[in-house]
């Protein structure tokens, strides 16, 4: 089995990353389903090693069928592992009885893609449901639900029914309900996939608030890389039931080591060729052509006047074609398309200077 690739603190190489104080740990976890009518068993997960640090937001990203939903359902006992161990707060939950899982689930909240609210109950009663099941006194339920509705911004909607709410408001009810029993871990199953972009941003901001203010560890699964980029501290990329890359979000997204990761992150870290340029670019240089480079900026270099310094230092004209500066995990990240002379020694001087500045440069093609 190939181990998942892990970027170091600078996003280079494949070094192991120590993770202190884990709250969830997968150790060589596998999950298989019996085959139908004599067919071979179906393997959903294989050799999963993953650590979720206490207080972190960890995302698992993968395409449909990659195994991410199975992975998250193992954490609250909705699925049972067929190999390996899962430890939660140091307890091996792999062999828990159903009674044991009921106790464990009170420490684990879950929010869903399609909200899963009860249409016949008000907002207040939907949030109160886990507390009622746990046998909490009415005074405690009133106090806890009122506090949570204020937290999620729905204090004025307590007597409304789900049909009267927007999608974002329904998800806020789902978050409040998941927090009702004061869990230590919040599981998010594609929590923003059914929402529009603006509402998605507001829900992600709320999840970050829950994480920071309440200290709740969040494990989320998604197929949307902007979700990972926006709020996660760490990320694991899953493909065909195996984790192919994992590490801190900034390192993984700015220096992906696996082709699957690179395909995911291209949309949020790259700069598309302008239409006028895409039609003209060639893979082989002709006399007089300019070389088109994609330059990646990270850390302090993302906002520093690197191009002007480059031009003044080596005396080569650098033409800016397109660019963007963004933030990943709260740290600046930039990508720039430029054209520079193809002839030597100018091109060698440019590439050498970029290397000295510890900037990644990729040759995209050539234009006249």
């Amino acid at each position: 089995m190939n181990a998942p690739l892990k970027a170091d603190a600078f996003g280079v190489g494949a070094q192991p990353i120590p993770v202190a104080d884990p709250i969830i740990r997968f150790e060589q976890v596998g999950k298989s389903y019996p085959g139908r009518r004599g067919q071979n068993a179906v393997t959903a997960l294989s050799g999963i090693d993953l650590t979720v640090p206490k207080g972190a937001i960890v995302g698992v990203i993968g395409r449909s069928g990659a195994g991410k939903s199975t992975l998250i359902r193992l954490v609250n006992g909705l699925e049972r592992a067929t190999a390996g161990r899962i430890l939660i707060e140091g307890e091996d939950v792999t062999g828990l009885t159903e009674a044991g899982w009921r106790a464990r689930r009170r420490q684990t909240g879950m929010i869903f893609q399609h909200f899963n609210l009860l249409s016949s109950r008000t907002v207040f009663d939907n949030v109160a449901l886990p507390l009622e099941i746990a046998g909490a006194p009415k005074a405690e339920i009133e106090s806890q639900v009122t506090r949570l509705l204020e937290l999620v911004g729905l204090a004025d909607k307590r007597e409304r029914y789900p049909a009267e709410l927007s999608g974002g408001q329904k998800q806020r009810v789902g978050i409040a309900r998941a927090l009702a029993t004061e869990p230590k871990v919040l599981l998010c199953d594609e929590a923003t996939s059914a929402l529009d972009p603006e509402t998605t941003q507001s829900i992600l901001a709320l999840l970050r608030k829950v994480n920071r203010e309440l200290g709740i560890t969040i494990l989320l699964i998604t197929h949307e890389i902007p979700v990972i980029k926006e709020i996660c501290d760490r990320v694991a990329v899953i493909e065909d039931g195996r984790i192919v890359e994992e590490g801190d979000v900034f390192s993984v997204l700015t220096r992906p080591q696996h082709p699957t990761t690179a395909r995911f992150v291209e949309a949020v870290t790259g700069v598309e060729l302008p239409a006028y340029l895409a039609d003209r670019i060639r893979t082989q240089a002709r006399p007089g052509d300019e070389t088109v480079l994609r330059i990646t900026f990270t850390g302090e270099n993302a906002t520093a006047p690197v191009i002007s310094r480059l031009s003044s230092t080596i005396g080569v004209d650098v033409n800016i074609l397109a660019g963007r500066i963004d933030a990943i995990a709260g740290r600046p990240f930039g990508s720039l398309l430029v054209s520079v002379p193809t002839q030597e020694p100018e091109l060698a001087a440019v590439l050498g200077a970029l290397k000295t500045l510890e900037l990644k440069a990729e040759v995209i093609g050539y234009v006249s």
Side-chain angles (χ1 to χ4, degrees), residues 132-177:
E132 293 173 3
I133 293 173
K138 287 186 177 180
E140 179 184 332
I141 292 175
E142 174 68 30
S143 174
Q144 180 78 324
V145 175
T146 298
R147 181 181 68 85
L148 288 171
L149 290 179
E150 290 176 355
L151 175 70
V152 302
L154 293 178
D156 61 336
K157 300 289 192 296
R158 58 183 286 153
E159 300 305 324
R160 298 289 184 89
Y161 288 87
E164 302 175 87
L165 304 178
S166 67
Q169 290 169 336
K170 291 176 182 177
Q171 194 57 287
R172 287 173 180 269
V173 176
I175 293 171
R177 179 185 58 190

Side-chain angles (χ1 to χ4, degrees), residues 316-345:
V316 175
D317 289 333
V318 179
N319 183 30
I320 298 175
L321 304 174
R324 65 189 287 181
I325 296 178
D326 209 336
I328 296 175
R331 297 165 63 186
F333 175 84
S335 186
L336 202 62
L337 284 178
V338 302
S339 64
V340 298
T342 299
Q343 67 267 22
E344 301 295 355

Side-chain angles (χ1 to χ4, degrees), residues 26-48:
F26 291 78
E27 296 181 350
Q28 285 294 293
V29 171
K31 173 63 179 178
S32 298
Y33 297 94
R36 295 182 179 181
R37 298 178 181 178
Q39 295 181 342
N40 294 331
V42 177
T43 299
L45 297 173
S46 179
I48 298 293

Side-chain angles (χ1 to χ4, degrees), residues 233-265:
D233 303 307
R234 298 183 64 81
V235 61
V237 182
I238 190 168
E239 181 181 62
D240 296 331
R242 297 177 181 271
I243 292 177
V244 296
E245 185 167 359
E246 64 98 9
D248 72 272
V249 166
F250 189 83
S251 295
V252 171
L253 266 60
T254 59
R255 297 289 180 92
Q257 304 293 304
H258 192 276
T260 297
T261 312
R263 289 193 294 270
F264 267 119
V265 305

Side-chain angles (χ1 to χ4, degrees), residues 67-317:
K68 58 187 186 296
S69 293
T70 301
L71 185 149
I72 203 169
R73 288 166 64 86
L74 290 173
V75 180
N76 61 2
L78 296 179
E79 298 281 359
R80 303 294 183 95
T82 52
R85 299 197 309 163
I86 302 171
L87 290 87
I88 304 178
E89 295 184 284
E91 177 187 9
D92 185 352
V93 301
T94 314
L96 280 184
T97 63
E98 187 55 38
W101 271 114
R102 282 196 294 271
R104 171 54 63 184
R105 289 185 188 117
R106 285 195 285 271
Q107 300 296 315
T108 307
M110 189 160 186
I111 59 176
F112 305 88
Q113 178 180 357
H114 297 295
F115 322 127
N116 289 11
L117 303 181
L118 297 177
S119 61
S120 61
R121 294 175 69 100
T122 64
V123 165
F124 183 96
D125 291 337
N126 265 283
V127 178
L129 183 60
L131 294 170
E132 293 173 3
I133 293 173
K138 287 186 177 180
E140 179 184 332
I141 292 175
E142 174 68 30
S143 174
Q144 180 78 324
V145 175
T146 298
R147 181 181 68 85
L148 288 171
L149 290 179
E150 290 176 355
L151 175 70
V152 302
L154 293 178
D156 61 336
K157 300 289 192 296
R158 58 183 286 153
E159 300 305 324
R160 298 289 184 89
Y161 288 87
E164 302 175 87
L165 304 178
S166 67
Q169 290 169 336
K170 291 176 182 177
Q171 194 57 287
R172 287 173 180 269
V173 176
I175 293 171
R177 179 185 58 190
L179 298 175
T181 58
E182 299 183 336
K184 297 179 180 178
V185 175
L186 182 61
L187 306 178
C188 301
D189 185 1
E190 297 278 10
T192 60
S193 294
L195 305 176
D196 62 74
E198 183 177 354
T199 305
T200 291
Q201 288 298 311
S202 71
I203 294 299
L204 293 179
L206 176 57
L207 290 175
R208 174 62 80 177
K209 179 180 179 181
V210 166
N211 170 256
R212 292 294 182 253
E213 294 186 5
L214 303 183
I216 294 176
T217 304
I218 297 177
L219 175 62
L220 64 85
I221 63 169
T222 184
H223 64 274
E224 300 172 308
I225 198 69
V227 171
I228 301 293
K229 168 180 164 291
E230 186 70 24
I231 67 165
C232 290
D233 303 307
R234 298 183 64 81
V235 61
V237 182
I238 190 168
E239 181 181 62
D240 296 331
R242 297 177 181 271
I243 292 177
V244 296
E245 185 167 359
E246 64 98 9
D248 72 272
V249 166
F250 189 83
S251 295
V252 171
L253 266 60
T254 59
R255 297 289 180 92
Q257 304 293 304
H258 192 276
T260 297
T261 312
R263 289 193 294 270
F264 267 119
V265 305
E266 185 176 15
V268 295
T269 61
V271 177
E272 292 185 1
L273 287 171
Y276 78 90
L277 186 62
D279 294 336
R280 296 166 45 208
I281 200 159
R282 294 186 292 272
T283 57
Q284 299 293 327
R286 297 177 182 176
D289 274 0
E290 296 256 304
T291 299
V292 178
L293 301 176
R294 177 184 284 119
I295 304 174
T296 301
F297 303 78
T298 58
E300 294 180 356
N301 282 334
T303 54
V306 173
I307 297 302
S308 61
R309 291 177 184 172
L310 190 64
S311 297
S312 61
T313 300
I314 62 176
V316 175
D317 289 333

